Amino acid sequence: MRIPERLSSTIACNRMQRADGRGRSDETASADGPTCPGSLIVVSNRQPYRHEYEDDEQPSVADSSRSNEVGSPQTGADGGSRATAESRSITVDEPTGGLTAGLDPVVKRTDGTWIAWGDGDADFDVTDEENRVAVPPDEEAYTLRRLDLSADAVDGYYYGFSNRVLWPLCHGFSDLIEDRPTDFDWYRTVNEQFADAVSDHAADDSVIWLQDYHLALAPRMIRASVPSSVTVAHFWHIPWPTPSIFRHCPAGGDVLEGLLGNDLLGFHVEPYADRFLNCVDQYLPDAAVDRAHRRIRYDGRTTHVVATPMGVDAESHDQEARSARPDQLSVLFDTYGIPENTAIGLGLDRLDYTKGVPERLLAIERFFEQHPSWLGAFTFVQKATPSRTDIETYEQYGEHVRNEVQRINRRFETPDWRPIVYTEDVLPREDLCALYRRADAMIVSPLVDGMNLVAQEYVAASVDSDTTLLLSDRTGAHERLGSHALTIDPTDTDDFAAQIERALTMSPYERQRRMNTLRQRVFSGDIESWMNTQFDWIRRVHDGVGEPDTSTDYGSDSREPTPPV
């Protein structure tokens, strides 16, 4: 979305109506979709809307006025950097998928406030003196409260403890943990800043819903500063490690105590929830762990631990795939030199060492070795997204992937065909959905993954049902989809290659039978269903009643609705 001028007039009006930091009244909120039992405060590292200057140049006064200390006040609305935005065009990046897009309409309906790190270069030129802005710009339906973090804070909290310690730890890569001297101090400081922002907005009936591993310490801090009637919930979107791996966590006791400030703590799948219980039992001797009911009693409070698999916006991916223009793929194939008459395999990943991309490339190489008749007849398209390149491990990983692609292509390519088409370009969602629909096989092969939404997006976009999903048995998604996907062990190169061959030679009837069942499961467990389950749990914890019905059997076709045809 493009904003031709600063949002001063609309924001000023909205500030007057929303001085308490809360959203629209119940009378104007829609009753459709998931509902929250109280006024909702979402807390996440990532923000739902980001304001950016349309050009690359930034005003020097804005650079000089930005804070070098966590929590320092911003320049006032009538001076400093904010005055420089009057004549500059600002664009707004809107949520495009996953949790952010799924939660956005919920917060609109629930008198919501969203608290997040403001990482856009124009973010604080459109906020009020308390770093609040009404979003979306064309609706002003809820308040986005932004935290202004210094470069040192971002380096220590985000690139440091979050992604040099917790990320590798939770994914089982304890040898990649980097415990730098001040990172945990910054992590604590930023979590305190999030907690302070929550306390500014919390009311007696508030439901505070934290997201992911960036905020492990915040629940306990929040609990100490809000009314006892407030419900604090947290969803951990990545895996949880075994106790033998967790022992490598610097300040592990603080992390566990922080998370036990929650009334409700959610994971994608039961093994991760059980591992958390095991870690608490082993490393917090004063905690009482009730494994049968997944409850933990600690420091006078009870934390309920649940497993609820997250889904995607299946309907929108289905519709996007159906609306693909006839010439859309032709243009895309011409751009990247993809022969239209070849079978297509597809991979879509961040360049993260958990995603198993080098192992996938080795399996593709082995497939061509063992089945040379597919040379020139099968093209694998790998869309990769550079990630956290400020961390050396990620930069090295990206280089390794690129080198492997070049090596394999040099080995097999012909003048008019390459076995692997590799790109790091940003592709519009409509192009991705068109690729999903066209691909004969999608390979999702992480070494470990909390859920994996790409696998579900592919299924939702496979509207012709004449496609095959190859899915790592180390993803959370495998619990829901594994029986009708082709299961792969990403480290078993020979079996992996055999599954690729099986996917490409499977009968049309078998492909359709498998994909139709996968589509039923993805549509029955979509993002809205997941949020309904979350709010059902939150409501029961909030009201102090029994457990919700979580008896959905994803292995039984008879219980699942039929997706669009």
Side-chain angles (χ1 to χ4, degrees), residues 176-468:
L176 296 181
I177 292 174
E178 298 180 57
D179 183 19
R180 302 187 303 182
T182 62
D183 283 352
F184 182 72
D185 292 336
W186 277 114
Y187 186 81
R188 183 192 299 278
T189 298
V190 173
N191 272 243
E192 287 173 347
Q193 189 175 2
F194 273 100
D196 290 344
V198 168
S199 66
D200 289 343
H201 292 270
D204 288 346
D205 70 334
S206 288
V207 170
I208 299 160
W209 194 18
L210 299 104
Q211 307 297 326
D212 226 351
Y213 62 101
H214 314 89
L215 301 168
L217 305 183
R220 187 174 179 85
M221 298 172 179
I222 291 168
R223 174 53 62 202
S225 62
V226 298
S228 59
S229 57
V230 167
T231 300
V232 183
H234 197 145
F235 198 88
W236 194 267
H237 290 270
I238 64 175
W240 188 267
T242 62
S244 62
I245 295 293
F246 188 77
R247 68 184 178 86
H248 297 285
C249 182
D254 295 279
V255 170
L256 293 176
E257 287 185 333
L259 290 172
L260 292 181
N262 288 294
D263 299 296
L264 181 70
L265 176 60
F267 296 91
H268 284 297
V269 293
E270 292 184 358
Y272 299 153
D274 291 336
R275 288 179 190 173
F276 179 78
L277 295 173
N278 293 340
C279 286
V280 171
D281 193 36
Q282 183 163 334
Y283 296 114
L284 290 182
D286 293 337
V289 177
D290 179 352
R291 297 177 188 279
H293 298 93
R294 288 204 179 104
R295 288 195 295 253
I296 300 169
R297 185 73 178 172
Y298 183 72
D299 199 22
R301 298 197 60 86
T302 298
T303 300
H304 299 258
V305 181
V306 298
T308 52
M310 183 178 174
V312 298
D313 186 350
E315 183 178 353
S316 69
H317 282 85
D318 177 283
Q319 293 175 350
E320 196 82 65
R322 292 180 189 276
S323 64
R325 303 184 312 275
D327 65 333
Q328 193 170 343
L329 276 176
S330 296
V331 172
L332 199 64
F333 280 24
D334 287 344
T335 300
Y336 294 104
I338 305 170
E340 294 200 30
N341 60 345
T342 64
I344 298 296
L346 180 62
L348 178 63
D349 306 87
R350 285 189 307 109
L351 286 175
D352 188 292
Y353 51 79
T354 67
K355 300 303 181 182
V357 178
E359 290 80 4
R360 181 185 312 164
L361 297 175
L362 290 175
I364 292 168
E365 181 180 29
R366 185 67 50 84
F367 164 75
F368 283 120
E369 289 174 352
Q370 297 178 344
H371 305 282
S373 62
W374 283 100
L375 293 171
F378 172 67
T379 303
F380 185 74
V381 180
Q382 177 65 57
K383 163 69 177 77
T385 302
S387 176
R388 303 166 188 162
T389 53
D390 288 354
I391 300 175
E392 185 179 0
T393 301
Y394 284 82
E395 185 63 33
Q396 292 175 348
Y397 182 85
E399 282 301 307
H400 177 54
V401 168
R402 298 178 198 107
N403 290 338
E404 283 292 274
V405 170
Q406 292 176 3
R407 181 184 64 80
I408 296 170
N409 278 343
R410 283 196 300 265
R411 180 178 178 187
F412 295 113
E413 67 186 349
T414 65
D416 56 358
W417 172 80
R418 287 173 294 161
I420 302 170
V421 172
Y422 178 86
T423 180
E424 295 179 4
D425 293 348
V426 176
L427 297 181
R429 175 169 157 169
E430 55 266 27
D431 285 350
L432 289 176
C433 286
L435 273 174
Y436 283 151
R437 182 177 182 178
R438 169 63 177 83
D440 298 273
M442 179 90 193
I443 301 180
V444 178
S445 57
L447 302 176
V448 61
D449 209 341
M451 174 47 63
N452 195 279
L453 302 182
V454 168
Q456 300 182 63
E457 290 176 359
Y458 173 69
V459 170
S462 294
V463 297
D464 306 305
S465 296
D466 191 25
T467 53
T468 304

Side-chain angles (χ1 to χ4, degrees), residues 18 20-43 102-114 135-136 139-143 201-203 205-209 531-532 535 538-539 542:
R18 299 157 58 92
D20 63 351
R22 298 178 65 181
R24 296 177 298 172
S25 66
D26 290 340
E27 289 78 6
T28 60
S30 169
D32 298 332
T35 58
C36 181
S39 95
L40 179 62
I41 301 175
V42 172
V43 190
L103 270 177
D104 183 63
V106 178
V107 186
K108 291 177 186 177
R109 288 193 297 268
T110 56
D111 280 351
T113 299
W114 196 313
V135 293
E139 293 182 54
E140 301 180 5
Y142 66 90
T143 295
H201 292 270
D205 70 334
S206 288
V207 170
I208 299 160
W209 194 18
M531 284 191 293
N532 274 324
F535 288 134
I538 289 171
R539 184 176 298 105
H542 189 75

